[in-house]
Amino acid sequence: MTLIEVKDLHKSFGSLEVLRGINCNIDEKEVVVVIGPSGSGKSTFLRCLNLLEVPTRGEVIIDGTSLTDSRTNINAVRQEVGMVFQRFNLFPHKTVLENITLAPIKVRHLPETEAEKLARELLARVGLSDKAGAYPEQLSGGQQQRVAIARALAMRPKIMLFDEPTSALDPEMVGEVLAVMKDLARDGMTMVVVTHEMGFAREVGDRVLFMDEGLILEEGTPAQLFNNCQNPRTRAFLSKIL
Amino acid sequence: MGLVIQSLPYLLLGAVQTLKITLVAVSLGCILGLVAGMGRLSRRRLTSFLATCYVDFFRGTPLLVQIFIVYYGFPQLLDEGQKFLMASLGMPQLLQTTHIPVFVAATLATSLNSGAYVAEIFRAGIQSIERGQVEAARSLGMTEGQTMRYIVLPQAFKRVIPPLGNEFIAMLKDTSLLSVIGYVELTRQGQLISGATFKPLQIYFGVALIYLIMTFTISRLVDYLERRLKTGDLDRS
């Protein structure tokens, strides 16, 4: 079943055209990894999927709901689409537990005890049970990012978007975050991941999209793309980073 | 020196009035300022225009003139407005007197003035919160209002404490202008005593000293508050 449909997506910032006609369908439980040089529009594409960026033209349909339709309640759609940011963006004035329970309580109207139970389950899942009472600034980058993943999961989303989740991390912390993401993928979460971690793409991705200059130039299974790519620009990019 | 000690009870009485009107002005100013500050950030053109007019007027004109407009100008406005309504619409006379009590005029003028400064403080505080905070909240499905209430404002409030403290101190000193409309605060009390004793030097030094003690205490208090609230707020670049 198709969960995300993107049709002819364009996005400009002033005169700068960042996305120049993206077409893409993503199925339920699929893990799609988006790669490409910086400035290729990967993050903008991802941010269009929950309307953090408003497309200039084209359509994004999430689980049958068109985001660009003015009648769409975007807050309702966002409850189904979790997002993890490069810079974690945890709420610094709230404890780890409060970071996770806030949206379920205020948005999903979950009773507090239930939200807390859910948060503790998720913390256990990301291996941070002992950090419930800590503030974000007391955690390492890797720990903060794992809390951010737990926070997004607490809304029980159908889709998870990852915007370069390991790019702001010290190298020794990348592994712990990727491990949590692999675990999620194994559980059947539908994921769209913008990353430079080619090992992750190869191991976990069902499909890899190569973007450059605002277009998807090539896509395929990791094996197809990494071992036998057709587009010269894909080849040039991969030769630089592999 | 003996004279200052003798008149100390009266000066302290004035100081209490000074603190009282400052507290009222800045408290009401905070409410006005929050509304006007968020108004300035509104995407609705008219809202942000009106908020900007308010802020520009009260920051761009002297408080003394604002006090005169409220204390002397408003009664005239009320009076002429009432006369006009009575003449043109045959309305009965509603107000026996259009005189505005000194405390009311003092409160109105200083609150409106303070509100304009606080609006800028709040606006800057709200804008200083990283965009990522808003994006994280919105991506979880929170509405704009919820994001403001649970994420932006709590963090902004911590950051505005030092400038709010400065505003409080500035207003505490500026309330001395209220002496010109006969509001008996510290400066006015000093004037009265100095007029009766012919010892302006000692009396006004005493007045100055009391202001200094108040402002010094408040700035230390703000420092302390700032340090206590630091927990859980990490400044990220």
PDB file of all heavy atoms in Angstrom, chain A residues 47 50 75 78 81 85 89-93 102 106-107 137 144 151 155, chain B residues 131-133 135-136 138-143 146 150-151 154-155 232 236:
ATOM      1  N   ARG A  47      11.474  17.814   4.235  1.00  0.00           N
ATOM      2  CA  ARG A  47      10.688  18.781   4.996  1.00  0.00           C
ATOM      3  C   ARG A  47       9.369  19.118   4.311  1.00  0.00           C
ATOM      4  O   ARG A  47       8.448  19.625   4.955  1.00  0.00           O
ATOM      5  CB  ARG A  47      11.514  20.047   5.250  1.00  0.00           C
ATOM      6  CG  ARG A  47      12.660  19.804   6.249  1.00  0.00           C
ATOM      7  CD  ARG A  47      13.738  20.858   6.145  1.00  0.00           C
ATOM      8  NE  ARG A  47      13.218  22.188   6.412  1.00  0.00           N
ATOM      9  CZ  ARG A  47      13.067  22.696   7.631  1.00  0.00           C
ATOM     10  NH1 ARG A  47      13.416  21.985   8.682  1.00  0.00           N
ATOM     11  NH2 ARG A  47      12.584  23.889   7.801  1.00  0.00           N
ATOM     12  N   ASN A  50       6.249  16.798   5.615  1.00  0.00           N
ATOM     13  CA  ASN A  50       5.360  17.141   6.733  1.00  0.00           C
ATOM     14  C   ASN A  50       5.062  18.644   6.734  1.00  0.00           C
ATOM     15  O   ASN A  50       4.677  19.211   7.753  1.00  0.00           O
ATOM     16  CB  ASN A  50       5.929  16.670   8.082  1.00  0.00           C
ATOM     17  CG  ASN A  50       7.186  17.415   8.481  1.00  0.00           C
ATOM     18  OD1 ASN A  50       7.755  18.173   7.695  1.00  0.00           O
ATOM     19  ND2 ASN A  50       7.627  17.207   9.704  1.00  0.00           N
ATOM     20  N   ASN A  75      -2.022  19.740  11.286  1.00  0.00           N
ATOM     21  CA  ASN A  75      -1.629  19.231  12.606  1.00  0.00           C
ATOM     22  C   ASN A  75      -2.029  17.766  12.783  1.00  0.00           C
ATOM     23  O   ASN A  75      -1.336  17.002  13.432  1.00  0.00           O
ATOM     24  CB  ASN A  75      -2.224  20.092  13.705  1.00  0.00           C
ATOM     25  CG  ASN A  75      -1.700  21.516  13.637  1.00  0.00           C
ATOM     26  OD1 ASN A  75      -0.513  21.726  13.398  1.00  0.00           O
ATOM     27  ND2 ASN A  75      -2.576  22.483  13.809  1.00  0.00           N
ATOM     28  N   ARG A  78       0.499  15.722  10.784  1.00  0.00           N
ATOM     29  CA  ARG A  78       1.812  15.674  11.437  1.00  0.00           C
ATOM     30  C   ARG A  78       1.854  14.703  12.605  1.00  0.00           C
ATOM     31  O   ARG A  78       2.919  14.209  12.970  1.00  0.00           O
ATOM     32  CB  ARG A  78       2.204  17.076  11.905  1.00  0.00           C
ATOM     33  CG  ARG A  78       2.712  17.953  10.766  1.00  0.00           C
ATOM     34  CD  ARG A  78       3.000  19.342  11.258  1.00  0.00           C
ATOM     35  NE  ARG A  78       3.553  20.183  10.192  1.00  0.00           N
ATOM     36  CZ  ARG A  78       3.424  21.496  10.159  1.00  0.00           C
ATOM     37  NH1 ARG A  78       2.774  22.113  11.117  1.00  0.00           N
ATOM     38  NH2 ARG A  78       3.946  22.192   9.184  1.00  0.00           N
ATOM     39  N   VAL A  81       3.231  11.639  11.266  1.00  0.00           N
ATOM     40  CA  VAL A  81       4.541  11.707  10.613  1.00  0.00           C
ATOM     41  C   VAL A  81       5.573  12.230  11.609  1.00  0.00           C
ATOM     42  O   VAL A  81       5.643  13.419  11.883  1.00  0.00           O
ATOM     43  CB  VAL A  81       4.489  12.642   9.383  1.00  0.00           C
ATOM     44  CG1 VAL A  81       5.824  12.607   8.646  1.00  0.00           C
ATOM     45  CG2 VAL A  81       3.352  12.246   8.443  1.00  0.00           C
ATOM     46  N   PHE A  85      15.525  15.436  13.767  1.00  0.00           N
ATOM     47  CA  PHE A  85      16.315  16.505  13.152  1.00  0.00           C
ATOM     48  C   PHE A  85      17.811  16.283  13.354  1.00  0.00           C
ATOM     49  O   PHE A  85      18.240  15.629  14.311  1.00  0.00           O
ATOM     50  CB  PHE A  85      15.930  17.858  13.779  1.00  0.00           C
ATOM     51  CG  PHE A  85      14.476  18.216  13.591  1.00  0.00           C
ATOM     52  CD1 PHE A  85      13.508  17.753  14.478  1.00  0.00           C
ATOM     53  CD2 PHE A  85      14.068  19.005  12.539  1.00  0.00           C
ATOM     54  CE1 PHE A  85      12.170  18.077  14.323  1.00  0.00           C
ATOM     55  CE2 PHE A  85      12.736  19.344  12.363  1.00  0.00           C
ATOM     56  CZ  PHE A  85      11.780  18.874  13.253  1.00  0.00           C
ATOM     57  N   ASN A  89      16.966  19.124  18.504  1.00  0.00           N
ATOM     58  CA  ASN A  89      15.858  20.012  18.864  1.00  0.00           C
ATOM     59  C   ASN A  89      15.019  19.515  20.030  1.00  0.00           C
ATOM     60  O   ASN A  89      13.796  19.636  20.023  1.00  0.00           O
ATOM     61  CB  ASN A  89      14.933  20.258  17.655  1.00  0.00           C
ATOM     62  CG  ASN A  89      15.652  20.975  16.529  1.00  0.00           C
ATOM     63  OD1 ASN A  89      16.752  21.488  16.720  1.00  0.00           O
ATOM     64  ND2 ASN A  89      15.044  21.008  15.373  1.00  0.00           N
ATOM     65  N   LEU A  90      15.680  18.958  21.034  1.00  0.00           N
ATOM     66  CA  LEU A  90      14.938  18.616  22.248  1.00  0.00           C
ATOM     67  C   LEU A  90      14.558  19.916  22.939  1.00  0.00           C
ATOM     68  O   LEU A  90      15.202  20.944  22.747  1.00  0.00           O
ATOM     69  CB  LEU A  90      15.800  17.760  23.175  1.00  0.00           C
ATOM     70  CG  LEU A  90      16.086  16.342  22.677  1.00  0.00           C
ATOM     71  CD1 LEU A  90      16.934  15.594  23.702  1.00  0.00           C
ATOM     72  CD2 LEU A  90      14.802  15.570  22.416  1.00  0.00           C
ATOM     73  N   PHE A  91      13.496  19.857  23.771  1.00  0.00           N
ATOM     74  CA  PHE A  91      13.071  21.059  24.475  1.00  0.00           C
ATOM     75  C   PHE A  91      13.938  21.207  25.731  1.00  0.00           C
ATOM     76  O   PHE A  91      13.834  20.395  26.654  1.00  0.00           O
ATOM     77  CB  PHE A  91      11.589  20.960  24.837  1.00  0.00           C
ATOM     78  CG  PHE A  91      10.717  20.656  23.647  1.00  0.00           C
ATOM     79  CD1 PHE A  91       9.757  19.660  23.700  1.00  0.00           C
ATOM     80  CD2 PHE A  91      10.878  21.355  22.450  1.00  0.00           C
ATOM     81  CE1 PHE A  91       8.957  19.369  22.601  1.00  0.00           C
ATOM     82  CE2 PHE A  91      10.083  21.073  21.338  1.00  0.00           C
ATOM     83  CZ  PHE A  91       9.128  20.079  21.413  1.00  0.00           C
ATOM     84  N   PRO A  92      14.794  22.228  25.781  1.00  0.00           N
ATOM     85  CA  PRO A  92      15.795  22.292  26.858  1.00  0.00           C
ATOM     86  C   PRO A  92      15.205  22.561  28.234  1.00  0.00           C
ATOM     87  O   PRO A  92      15.837  22.268  29.234  1.00  0.00           O
ATOM     88  CB  PRO A  92      16.703  23.457  26.416  1.00  0.00           C
ATOM     89  CG  PRO A  92      15.875  24.271  25.497  1.00  0.00           C
ATOM     90  CD  PRO A  92      14.916  23.333  24.830  1.00  0.00           C
ATOM     91  N   HIS A  93      13.976  23.109  28.270  1.00  0.00           N
ATOM     92  CA  HIS A  93      13.391  23.440  29.571  1.00  0.00           C
ATOM     93  C   HIS A  93      12.578  22.292  30.137  1.00  0.00           C
ATOM     94  O   HIS A  93      11.954  22.420  31.177  1.00  0.00           O
ATOM     95  CB  HIS A  93      12.519  24.694  29.456  1.00  0.00           C
ATOM     96  CG  HIS A  93      11.390  24.545  28.459  1.00  0.00           C
ATOM     97  ND1 HIS A  93      11.600  24.206  27.144  1.00  0.00           N
ATOM     98  CD2 HIS A  93      10.053  24.688  28.587  1.00  0.00           C
ATOM     99  CE1 HIS A  93      10.429  24.155  26.518  1.00  0.00           C
ATOM    100  NE2 HIS A  93       9.486  24.440  27.382  1.00  0.00           N
ATOM    101  N   LEU A 102       5.001  15.273  26.404  1.00  0.00           N
ATOM    102  CA  LEU A 102       4.280  16.529  26.136  1.00  0.00           C
ATOM    103  C   LEU A 102       3.259  16.405  25.000  1.00  0.00           C
ATOM    104  O   LEU A 102       2.070  16.684  25.186  1.00  0.00           O
ATOM    105  CB  LEU A 102       5.277  17.659  25.818  1.00  0.00           C
ATOM    106  CG  LEU A 102       4.614  19.010  25.557  1.00  0.00           C
ATOM    107  CD1 LEU A 102       4.013  19.576  26.829  1.00  0.00           C
ATOM    108  CD2 LEU A 102       5.611  20.010  24.968  1.00  0.00           C
ATOM    109  N   LYS A 106      -0.762  16.643  25.246  1.00  0.00           N
ATOM    110  CA  LYS A 106      -1.427  17.864  24.766  1.00  0.00           C
ATOM    111  C   LYS A 106      -2.098  17.683  23.410  1.00  0.00           C
ATOM    112  O   LYS A 106      -3.082  18.337  23.109  1.00  0.00           O
ATOM    113  CB  LYS A 106      -0.413  19.019  24.665  1.00  0.00           C
ATOM    114  CG  LYS A 106       0.261  19.370  25.969  1.00  0.00           C
ATOM    115  CD  LYS A 106      -0.740  19.835  27.014  1.00  0.00           C
ATOM    116  CE  LYS A 106      -0.025  20.151  28.320  1.00  0.00           C
ATOM    117  NZ  LYS A 106      -0.978  20.322  29.433  1.00  0.00           N
ATOM    118  N   VAL A 107      -1.536  16.828  22.580  1.00  0.00           N
ATOM    119  CA  VAL A 107      -2.068  16.697  21.221  1.00  0.00           C
ATOM    120  C   VAL A 107      -2.971  15.472  21.101  1.00  0.00           C
ATOM    121  O   VAL A 107      -4.075  15.539  20.576  1.00  0.00           O
ATOM    122  CB  VAL A 107      -0.913  16.616  20.196  1.00  0.00           C
ATOM    123  CG1 VAL A 107      -1.462  16.490  18.787  1.00  0.00           C
ATOM    124  CG2 VAL A 107      -0.027  17.857  20.306  1.00  0.00           C
ATOM    125  N   GLU A 137      20.529  19.009  28.267  1.00  0.00           N
ATOM    126  CA  GLU A 137      21.922  19.468  28.274  1.00  0.00           C
ATOM    127  C   GLU A 137      22.846  18.536  29.069  1.00  0.00           C
ATOM    128  O   GLU A 137      24.063  18.642  28.961  1.00  0.00           O
ATOM    129  CB  GLU A 137      22.016  20.890  28.831  1.00  0.00           C
ATOM    130  CG  GLU A 137      21.675  20.999  30.297  1.00  0.00           C
ATOM    131  CD  GLU A 137      21.830  22.433  30.826  1.00  0.00           C
ATOM    132  OE1 GLU A 137      22.518  23.231  30.187  1.00  0.00           O
ATOM    133  OE2 GLU A 137      21.247  22.723  31.884  1.00  0.00           O
ATOM    134  N   GLN A 144      20.916  12.398  23.239  1.00  0.00           N
ATOM    135  CA  GLN A 144      19.865  13.355  22.884  1.00  0.00           C
ATOM    136  C   GLN A 144      19.111  12.914  21.640  1.00  0.00           C
ATOM    137  O   GLN A 144      17.888  13.014  21.568  1.00  0.00           O
ATOM    138  CB  GLN A 144      20.473  14.744  22.626  1.00  0.00           C
ATOM    139  CG  GLN A 144      20.949  15.433  23.877  1.00  0.00           C
ATOM    140  CD  GLN A 144      21.249  16.909  23.623  1.00  0.00           C
ATOM    141  OE1 GLN A 144      20.460  17.621  23.021  1.00  0.00           O
ATOM    142  NE2 GLN A 144      22.396  17.368  24.078  1.00  0.00           N
ATOM    143  N   ARG A 151      10.840  10.571  21.381  1.00  0.00           N
ATOM    144  CA  ARG A 151       9.810  11.620  21.419  1.00  0.00           C
ATOM    145  C   ARG A 151       8.906  11.535  20.187  1.00  0.00           C
ATOM    146  O   ARG A 151       7.686  11.647  20.286  1.00  0.00           O
ATOM    147  CB  ARG A 151      10.487  12.998  21.478  1.00  0.00           C
ATOM    148  CG  ARG A 151       9.518  14.158  21.440  1.00  0.00           C
ATOM    149  CD  ARG A 151      10.213  15.484  21.588  1.00  0.00           C
ATOM    150  NE  ARG A 151      11.011  15.816  20.404  1.00  0.00           N
ATOM    151  CZ  ARG A 151      11.687  16.954  20.260  1.00  0.00           C
ATOM    152  NH1 ARG A 151      11.669  17.851  21.235  1.00  0.00           N
ATOM    153  NH2 ARG A 151      12.384  17.182  19.175  1.00  0.00           N
ATOM    154  N   MET A 155       4.230   9.585  19.559  1.00  0.00           N
ATOM    155  CA  MET A 155       2.975   9.947  18.893  1.00  0.00           C
ATOM    156  C   MET A 155       2.413   8.778  18.095  1.00  0.00           C
ATOM    157  O   MET A 155       1.399   8.901  17.423  1.00  0.00           O
ATOM    158  CB  MET A 155       3.192  11.161  17.987  1.00  0.00           C
ATOM    159  CG  MET A 155       3.455  12.459  18.733  1.00  0.00           C
ATOM    160  SD  MET A 155       2.096  12.935  19.809  1.00  0.00           S
ATOM    161  CE  MET A 155       0.905  13.523  18.591  1.00  0.00           C
TER     162      MET A 155
ATOM    163  N   ARG B 131      14.680  28.347  15.676  1.00  0.00           N
ATOM    164  CA  ARG B 131      13.619  27.869  14.798  1.00  0.00           C
ATOM    165  C   ARG B 131      13.367  26.372  14.970  1.00  0.00           C
ATOM    166  O   ARG B 131      12.255  25.891  14.849  1.00  0.00           O
ATOM    167  CB  ARG B 131      14.020  28.142  13.352  1.00  0.00           C
ATOM    168  CG  ARG B 131      12.986  28.847  12.533  1.00  0.00           C
ATOM    169  CD  ARG B 131      13.604  29.237  11.205  1.00  0.00           C
ATOM    170  NE  ARG B 131      13.559  28.136  10.250  1.00  0.00           N
ATOM    171  CZ  ARG B 131      12.547  27.933   9.396  1.00  0.00           C
ATOM    172  NH1 ARG B 131      11.544  28.756   9.375  1.00  0.00           N
ATOM    173  NH2 ARG B 131      12.560  26.915   8.559  1.00  0.00           N
ATOM    174  N   GLY B 132      14.437  25.640  15.259  1.00  0.00           N
ATOM    175  CA  GLY B 132      14.318  24.195  15.423  1.00  0.00           C
ATOM    176  C   GLY B 132      13.346  23.805  16.531  1.00  0.00           C
ATOM    177  O   GLY B 132      12.704  22.760  16.466  1.00  0.00           O
ATOM    178  N   GLN B 133      13.234  24.642  17.559  1.00  0.00           N
ATOM    179  CA  GLN B 133      12.301  24.366  18.646  1.00  0.00           C
ATOM    180  C   GLN B 133      10.869  24.382  18.141  1.00  0.00           C
ATOM    181  O   GLN B 133      10.069  23.509  18.471  1.00  0.00           O
ATOM    182  CB  GLN B 133      12.480  25.420  19.751  1.00  0.00           C
ATOM    183  CG  GLN B 133      13.788  25.290  20.502  1.00  0.00           C
ATOM    184  CD  GLN B 133      13.798  24.069  21.380  1.00  0.00           C
ATOM    185  OE1 GLN B 133      12.904  23.870  22.196  1.00  0.00           O
ATOM    186  NE2 GLN B 133      14.792  23.231  21.214  1.00  0.00           N
ATOM    187  N   GLU B 135       9.970  24.049  14.995  1.00  0.00           N
ATOM    188  CA  GLU B 135       9.803  22.972  14.021  1.00  0.00           C
ATOM    189  C   GLU B 135       9.573  21.630  14.706  1.00  0.00           C
ATOM    190  O   GLU B 135       8.733  20.847  14.284  1.00  0.00           O
ATOM    191  CB  GLU B 135      11.028  22.897  13.104  1.00  0.00           C
ATOM    192  CG  GLU B 135      11.108  24.077  12.162  1.00  0.00           C
ATOM    193  CD  GLU B 135      12.260  23.956  11.189  1.00  0.00           C
ATOM    194  OE1 GLU B 135      13.120  23.079  11.382  1.00  0.00           O
ATOM    195  OE2 GLU B 135      12.296  24.752  10.227  1.00  0.00           O
ATOM    196  N   ALA B 136      10.326  21.392  15.785  1.00  0.00           N
ATOM    197  CA  ALA B 136      10.143  20.130  16.509  1.00  0.00           C
ATOM    198  C   ALA B 136       8.728  20.044  17.060  1.00  0.00           C
ATOM    199  O   ALA B 136       8.063  19.013  16.939  1.00  0.00           O
ATOM    200  CB  ALA B 136      11.175  20.012  17.629  1.00  0.00           C
ATOM    201  N   ARG B 138       5.986  21.684  16.079  1.00  0.00           N
ATOM    202  CA  ARG B 138       4.982  21.582  15.014  1.00  0.00           C
ATOM    203  C   ARG B 138       5.006  20.196  14.377  1.00  0.00           C
ATOM    204  O   ARG B 138       3.974  19.653  14.007  1.00  0.00           O
ATOM    205  CB  ARG B 138       5.206  22.647  13.931  1.00  0.00           C
ATOM    206  CG  ARG B 138       5.075  24.099  14.384  1.00  0.00           C
ATOM    207  CD  ARG B 138       3.769  24.435  15.079  1.00  0.00           C
ATOM    208  NE  ARG B 138       2.573  24.132  14.304  1.00  0.00           N
ATOM    209  CZ  ARG B 138       2.008  24.931  13.415  1.00  0.00           C
ATOM    210  NH1 ARG B 138       2.550  26.104  13.172  1.00  0.00           N
ATOM    211  NH2 ARG B 138       0.911  24.575  12.774  1.00  0.00           N
ATOM    212  N   SER B 139       6.204  19.600  14.274  1.00  0.00           N
ATOM    213  CA  SER B 139       6.290  18.284  13.647  1.00  0.00           C
ATOM    214  C   SER B 139       5.618  17.208  14.500  1.00  0.00           C
ATOM    215  O   SER B 139       5.283  16.137  14.013  1.00  0.00           O
ATOM    216  CB  SER B 139       7.751  17.902  13.367  1.00  0.00           C
ATOM    217  OG  SER B 139       8.383  17.456  14.544  1.00  0.00           O
ATOM    218  N   LEU B 140       5.426  17.512  15.789  1.00  0.00           N
ATOM    219  CA  LEU B 140       4.721  16.568  16.662  1.00  0.00           C
ATOM    220  C   LEU B 140       3.209  16.768  16.601  1.00  0.00           C
ATOM    221  O   LEU B 140       2.458  16.088  17.301  1.00  0.00           O
ATOM    222  CB  LEU B 140       5.200  16.740  18.105  1.00  0.00           C
ATOM    223  CG  LEU B 140       6.631  16.264  18.382  1.00  0.00           C
ATOM    224  CD1 LEU B 140       7.143  16.845  19.689  1.00  0.00           C
ATOM    225  CD2 LEU B 140       6.677  14.740  18.435  1.00  0.00           C
ATOM    226  N   GLY B 141       2.778  17.739  15.803  1.00  0.00           N
ATOM    227  CA  GLY B 141       1.339  17.961  15.651  1.00  0.00           C
ATOM    228  C   GLY B 141       0.792  19.071  16.521  1.00  0.00           C
ATOM    229  O   GLY B 141      -0.414  19.292  16.571  1.00  0.00           O
ATOM    230  N   MET B 142       1.678  19.769  17.251  1.00  0.00           N
ATOM    231  CA  MET B 142       1.182  20.869  18.084  1.00  0.00           C
ATOM    232  C   MET B 142       0.738  22.021  17.198  1.00  0.00           C
ATOM    233  O   MET B 142       1.338  22.292  16.164  1.00  0.00           O
ATOM    234  CB  MET B 142       2.281  21.372  19.023  1.00  0.00           C
ATOM    235  CG  MET B 142       2.549  20.451  20.190  1.00  0.00           C
ATOM    236  SD  MET B 142       3.636  21.263  21.360  1.00  0.00           S
ATOM    237  CE  MET B 142       4.647  19.883  21.822  1.00  0.00           C
ATOM    238  N   THR B 143      -0.302  22.727  17.652  1.00  0.00           N
ATOM    239  CA  THR B 143      -0.756  23.901  16.916  1.00  0.00           C
ATOM    240  C   THR B 143       0.208  25.058  17.191  1.00  0.00           C
ATOM    241  O   THR B 143       1.069  24.965  18.066  1.00  0.00           O
ATOM    242  CB  THR B 143      -2.152  24.332  17.381  1.00  0.00           C
ATOM    243  OG1 THR B 143      -2.059  24.692  18.764  1.00  0.00           O
ATOM    244  CG2 THR B 143      -3.169  23.218  17.217  1.00  0.00           C
ATOM    245  N   GLN B 146      -0.241  26.096  20.838  1.00  0.00           N
ATOM    246  CA  GLN B 146       0.396  25.165  21.784  1.00  0.00           C
ATOM    247  C   GLN B 146       1.904  25.314  21.764  1.00  0.00           C
ATOM    248  O   GLN B 146       2.564  25.263  22.806  1.00  0.00           O
ATOM    249  CB  GLN B 146       0.020  23.715  21.430  1.00  0.00           C
ATOM    250  CG  GLN B 146      -1.409  23.359  21.760  1.00  0.00           C
ATOM    251  CD  GLN B 146      -1.777  21.972  21.248  1.00  0.00           C
ATOM    252  OE1 GLN B 146      -1.362  21.553  20.171  1.00  0.00           O
ATOM    253  NE2 GLN B 146      -2.582  21.260  22.020  1.00  0.00           N
ATOM    254  N   TYR B 150       3.707  26.125  25.214  1.00  0.00           N
ATOM    255  CA  TYR B 150       4.487  25.102  25.917  1.00  0.00           C
ATOM    256  C   TYR B 150       5.977  25.143  25.586  1.00  0.00           C
ATOM    257  O   TYR B 150       6.794  24.669  26.363  1.00  0.00           O
ATOM    258  CB  TYR B 150       3.949  23.703  25.601  1.00  0.00           C
ATOM    259  CG  TYR B 150       2.506  23.514  25.992  1.00  0.00           C
ATOM    260  CD1 TYR B 150       1.539  23.210  25.047  1.00  0.00           C
ATOM    261  CD2 TYR B 150       2.116  23.675  27.327  1.00  0.00           C
ATOM    262  CE1 TYR B 150       0.208  23.062  25.399  1.00  0.00           C
ATOM    263  CE2 TYR B 150       0.794  23.524  27.686  1.00  0.00           C
ATOM    264  CZ  TYR B 150      -0.163  23.220  26.729  1.00  0.00           C
ATOM    265  OH  TYR B 150      -1.460  23.083  27.087  1.00  0.00           O
ATOM    266  N   ILE B 151       6.321  25.667  24.429  1.00  0.00           N
ATOM    267  CA  ILE B 151       7.722  25.590  23.996  1.00  0.00           C
ATOM    268  C   ILE B 151       8.395  26.963  23.945  1.00  0.00           C
ATOM    269  O   ILE B 151       9.439  27.170  24.556  1.00  0.00           O
ATOM    270  CB  ILE B 151       7.823  24.909  22.604  1.00  0.00           C
ATOM    271  CG1 ILE B 151       7.119  23.550  22.630  1.00  0.00           C
ATOM    272  CG2 ILE B 151       9.277  24.775  22.173  1.00  0.00           C
ATOM    273  CD1 ILE B 151       7.637  22.585  23.679  1.00  0.00           C
ATOM    274  N   PRO B 154       7.824  29.634  27.523  1.00  0.00           N
ATOM    275  CA  PRO B 154       8.584  29.272  28.735  1.00  0.00           C
ATOM    276  C   PRO B 154      10.084  29.519  28.589  1.00  0.00           C
ATOM    277  O   PRO B 154      10.739  29.953  29.526  1.00  0.00           O
ATOM    278  CB  PRO B 154       8.298  27.770  28.897  1.00  0.00           C
ATOM    279  CG  PRO B 154       7.035  27.527  28.169  1.00  0.00           C
ATOM    280  CD  PRO B 154       7.012  28.506  27.030  1.00  0.00           C
ATOM    281  N   GLN B 155      10.616  29.268  27.394  1.00  0.00           N
ATOM    282  CA  GLN B 155      12.043  29.516  27.188  1.00  0.00           C
ATOM    283  C   GLN B 155      12.326  31.006  27.044  1.00  0.00           C
ATOM    284  O   GLN B 155      13.339  31.510  27.523  1.00  0.00           O
ATOM    285  CB  GLN B 155      12.528  28.792  25.930  1.00  0.00           C
ATOM    286  CG  GLN B 155      12.453  27.284  26.057  1.00  0.00           C
ATOM    287  CD  GLN B 155      13.037  26.603  24.830  1.00  0.00           C
ATOM    288  OE1 GLN B 155      14.203  26.733  24.533  1.00  0.00           O
ATOM    289  NE2 GLN B 155      12.217  25.859  24.105  1.00  0.00           N
ATOM    290  N   GLY B 232      18.519  23.815  32.834  1.00  0.00           N
ATOM    291  CA  GLY B 232      17.693  23.298  31.756  1.00  0.00           C
ATOM    292  C   GLY B 232      17.620  24.211  30.558  1.00  0.00           C
ATOM    293  O   GLY B 232      16.839  23.991  29.674  1.00  0.00           O
ATOM    294  N   ARG B 236      22.456  27.086  22.550  1.00  0.00           N
ATOM    295  CA  ARG B 236      23.076  26.463  21.382  1.00  0.00           C
ATOM    296  C   ARG B 236      23.286  27.518  20.325  1.00  0.00           C
ATOM    297  O   ARG B 236      22.510  28.436  20.169  1.00  0.00           O
ATOM    298  CB  ARG B 236      22.149  25.395  20.811  1.00  0.00           C
ATOM    299  CG  ARG B 236      22.021  24.206  21.700  1.00  0.00           C
ATOM    300  CD  ARG B 236      21.692  23.004  20.854  1.00  0.00           C
ATOM    301  NE  ARG B 236      21.205  21.940  21.707  1.00  0.00           N
ATOM    302  CZ  ARG B 236      19.960  21.837  22.064  1.00  0.00           C
ATOM    303  NH1 ARG B 236      19.085  22.709  21.668  1.00  0.00           N
ATOM    304  NH2 ARG B 236      19.576  20.850  22.822  1.00  0.00           N
TER     305      ARG B 236
END
